[in-house]
Amino acid sequence: MPEPRDEADSEWPDAPRLTEALANRASDVEINTVARARVAERLDRSPSAETVVLIRRTPAPPTSPASYRRVAVVAACVLALAIGGAGLVTKFGGGDADVRLENPAEQFGGEGSATSVSRSPSDTSATPQPSSPGAVLAAYEDQAHCARTVDDIDRVDRYALEADGGLSGVVSVRGKFRDLANLVLVVAPTETESAPAIRPAPGGFGMVHTAAVQLEPGGADAALARLEGEMCGFGLALGSTVEGYEVAARLVCGSVRGTAPLGYVFETRAGPPACALRQPTILLSSGPHPALNEWASNLGCTGENRAVDDAGNTVVRFDECGSSLLVVETATDDPWSATIEGRPATEFIDLVLSFVG
Amino acid sequence: MARSAAQLFEREYEPMVRLAFLLTGSSELAEDVVADAFLAVHERWDRLLNPAGYLRRSVVNLSARTAGRSARRRAIVRENSRVIRPRDSESEPEYLLDALERLPERQRVALVLAYYGRYRADEIAEALGCRPGTAKSLVHRGLKQMRKELGDA
């Protein structure tokens, strides 16, 4: 236990009162036992082996049967683009390709801090060819440009969505944008749910205003219509339908839909419309799933090409893609534990959609 | 010293959530930050010489990444919290916390670590990824700014 800061305390007479005020503020936090148990459960598992994503082109594996009970899809928007710093370098070459993630420059110097995306000046593959893997990620440069223009509006609001485990309805989530244009939402499956509710992050930011949202039997449209009146420029709506859960995220280029278990975290991020969907996206999935194909298709991505890396991850790219999309079907069935260059992939992601089959 | 990630979790989860809450201002964000930090420790456990230190650093980093990277947000917070109100015993805590909120990010974090976490300069330096001298300087300048914000200067 660190020693009391007597020296500093004597430096400023209000120090003890500041300590007391901070302690009182901190004591306001009620430890969420569900969240705590969730972490404890994760820690009970063996650490997954680190994975260096080294993509090698191999014949496409046979499509897995639709026996996947659950496919979690993690869309990595690498949003910390907007923050600056060193970044993620992706390069491809010839028939082989590798994805290399540099340790990001960090505001505070440690691990797990902001990541930005940039292309190394020395990267000779910086000019991607059409239909090449590099083309898939070419928008990194564009995004970096966007990021430079919007570096002051980067913001993550998180919503915790907890659903009744017995809820039989469908949850629809849609993002609508007027002046703002970048929805990032995270829907992670929850093992233990409570009453349906979405808890917004406190306060609002800029043009993004948050509001409490309750599941509504009227469906997403009704909820959305209501929310649009309450939220400026951006809305999340939840509605229930039947059998399973539905997630619909409307981005600028169209709708994204899939079925998903009720999740617990939503993240939203605001950006200018010009930069929407030029954001490079990496999807981490525990396997192929029709909903994923539909999503990719909605994003304008067709012409699937598959490759398997040394760790057994299947990397999917697209000959035609309206956005910069790369799909990594992880070797394990737990995308949450996926690593890229030894770092949890979740450090690089901003969008998580969890699908159920 | 914790002998396993689970042991470290038992000991540090709650304190880290409270610390992250002070840094992010949101209990939900704090939970996410701490979860991510513990998982990062878990992944690297065999290679970490000081897991507790790594955990603290991760929590601080992730908190800063989550809540502190938006200059605009900070500016709004500062602007909105610049409320003139009488300073009396009842309002004292909020008065101090408001002033703290208006500090530059690293100074604010340094003071939270120093006065809530009771961290020494070397521990603050470790958490912030800077030299102890820099950490001392951050605390010193933070205190100076606090005095200024509070009208004590």
Side-chain angles (χ1 to χ4, degrees):
Chain A
M1 185 71 182
E3 295 296 321
R5 302 186 52 81
D6 293 337
E7 181 185 347
D9 289 357
S10 65
E11 195 178 334
W12 183 46
D14 278 334
R17 282 188 288 276
L18 176 61
T19 296
E20 184 181 358
L22 287 168
N24 288 337
R25 173 69 61 86
S27 68
D28 290 343
V29 180
E30 289 186 16
I31 301 299
N32 182 329
T33 55
V34 173
R36 188 185 189 283
R38 190 178 296 128
V39 180
E41 182 189 356
R42 294 292 307 275
L43 295 182
D44 281 342
R45 301 178 195 169
S46 298
S48 60
E50 289 193 342
T51 303
V52 175
V53 179
L54 189 63
I55 304 168
R56 289 183 178 165
R57 300 194 66 165
T58 60
T63 304
S64 299
S67 60
Y68 288 90
R69 297 305 304 161
R70 187 173 109 192
V71 177
V73 177
V74 179
C77 297
V78 199
L79 295 177
L81 292 172
I83 317 169
L88 177 153
V89 175
T90 305
K91 65 178 182 181
F92 294 88
D96 293 342
D98 68 78
V99 177
R100 176 165 58 91
L101 296 176
E102 288 185 344
N103 285 333
E106 298 168 351
Q107 185 181 1
F108 284 75
E111 295 211 27
S113 72
T115 306
S116 70
V117 173
S118 63
R119 192 175 288 279
S120 168
S122 61
D123 185 352
T124 56
S125 65
T127 306
Q129 299 300 313
S131 300
S132 72
V136 174
L137 295 157
Y140 278 125
E141 283 187 328
D142 293 336
Q143 181 57 34
H145 169 73
C146 287
R148 284 193 292 274
T149 66
V150 298
D151 60 357
D152 67 336
I153 63 169
D154 173 73
R155 160 76 179 182
V156 174
D157 289 323
R158 293 191 179 198
Y159 302 80
L161 175 64
E162 297 174 351
D164 189 326
L167 187 69
S168 60
V170 171
V171 175
S172 295
V173 182
R174 294 181 183 178
K176 274 205 168 186
F177 308 92
R178 293 177 185 142
D179 301 319
L180 302 173
N182 210 346
L183 167 68
V184 176
L185 66 123
V186 176
V187 184
T190 53
E191 289 79 24
T192 306
E193 292 92 4
S194 57
I198 184 167
R199 291 179 287 140
F205 171 70
M207 296 185 68
V208 179
H209 296 271
T210 59
V213 181
Q214 297 292 328
L215 297 177
E216 293 188 358
D221 288 333
L224 191 60
R226 180 176 66 81
L227 280 173
E228 284 179 347
E230 296 180 3
M231 303 173 81
C232 174
F234 169 76
L236 274 179
L238 301 178
S240 60
T241 54
V242 292
E243 293 180 354
Y245 303 117
E246 177 186 66
V247 173
R250 183 182 178 206
L251 303 178
V252 169
C253 76
S255 295
V256 176
R257 282 179 181 275
T259 56
L262 208 51
Y264 77 102
V265 178
F266 291 82
E267 291 188 358
T268 65
R269 184 179 295 266
C275 293
L277 286 185
R278 297 167 67 187
Q279 197 155 256
T281 301
I282 300 172
L283 302 176
L284 299 184
S285 165
S286 59
H289 192 276
L292 177 58
N293 294 338
E294 182 184 356
W295 187 4
S297 177
N298 282 336
L299 291 171
C301 299
T302 57
E304 200 176 279
N305 284 294
R306 290 170 169 269
V308 178
D309 67 16
D310 286 349
N313 301 315
T314 299
V315 180
V316 184
R317 59 184 176 78
F318 301 90
D319 290 336
E320 300 290 336
C321 192
S323 65
S324 52
L325 178 65
L326 188 69
V327 178
V328 179
E329 294 172 3
T330 59
T332 70
D333 63 358
D334 182 11
W336 292 97
S337 65
T339 58
I340 297 175
E341 286 278 316
R343 299 183 58 182
T346 48
E347 288 186 10
F348 303 99
I349 63 97
D350 285 282
L351 174 56
V352 178
L353 291 180
S354 300
F355 292 93
V356 288
Chain B
M1 181 172 173
R3 281 171 294 184
S4 68
Q7 196 176 43
L8 183 69
F9 176 79
E10 288 299 321
R11 192 183 72 198
E12 297 290 345
Y13 180 80
E14 186 172 326
M16 287 297 111
V17 169
R18 298 192 188 285
L19 175 63
F21 171 72
L22 290 175
L23 297 177
T24 64
S26 159
S27 57
E28 288 81 18
L29 289 179
E31 287 165 2
D32 289 346
V33 159
V34 173
D36 290 346
F38 269 108
L39 292 176
V41 169
H42 185 50
E43 287 282 340
R44 298 161 176 79
W45 183 263
D46 291 340
R47 304 192 305 278
L48 294 176
L49 295 176
N50 181 3
Y54 185 89
L55 175 69
R56 283 197 295 266
R57 186 169 178 172
S58 295
V59 167
V60 170
N61 276 330
L62 292 168
S63 296
R65 169 186 172 184
T66 302
R69 62 188 180 187
S70 168
R72 182 171 174 181
R73 173 191 173 270
R74 301 286 303 156
I76 290 172
V77 169
R78 286 193 200 107
E79 190 60 32
N80 291 341
S81 63
R82 196 175 292 277
V83 178
I84 306 299
R85 57 178 132 184
R87 186 182 182 186
D88 52 35
S89 57
E90 190 174 333
S91 64
E92 181 77 14
E94 290 304 318
Y95 201 90
L96 290 170
L97 295 176
D98 284 352
L100 183 67
E101 187 67 25
R102 292 194 293 269
L103 297 188
E105 186 66 14
R106 281 169 71 85
Q107 290 179 19
R108 183 178 73 91
V109 172
L111 288 189
V112 169
L113 295 176
Y115 289 100
Y116 172 71
R118 312 300 286 180
Y119 286 14
R120 298 186 302 266
D122 60 320
E123 292 172 315
I124 296 172
E126 180 186 47
L128 292 180
C130 63
R131 295 177 180 178
T134 304
K136 285 182 180 177
S137 174
L138 285 169
V139 172
H140 178 75
R141 283 187 282 133
L143 291 176
K144 186 176 179 181
Q145 187 64 27
M146 282 288 283
R147 287 196 196 94
K148 187 177 176 183
E149 293 285 348
L150 295 169
D152 293 346

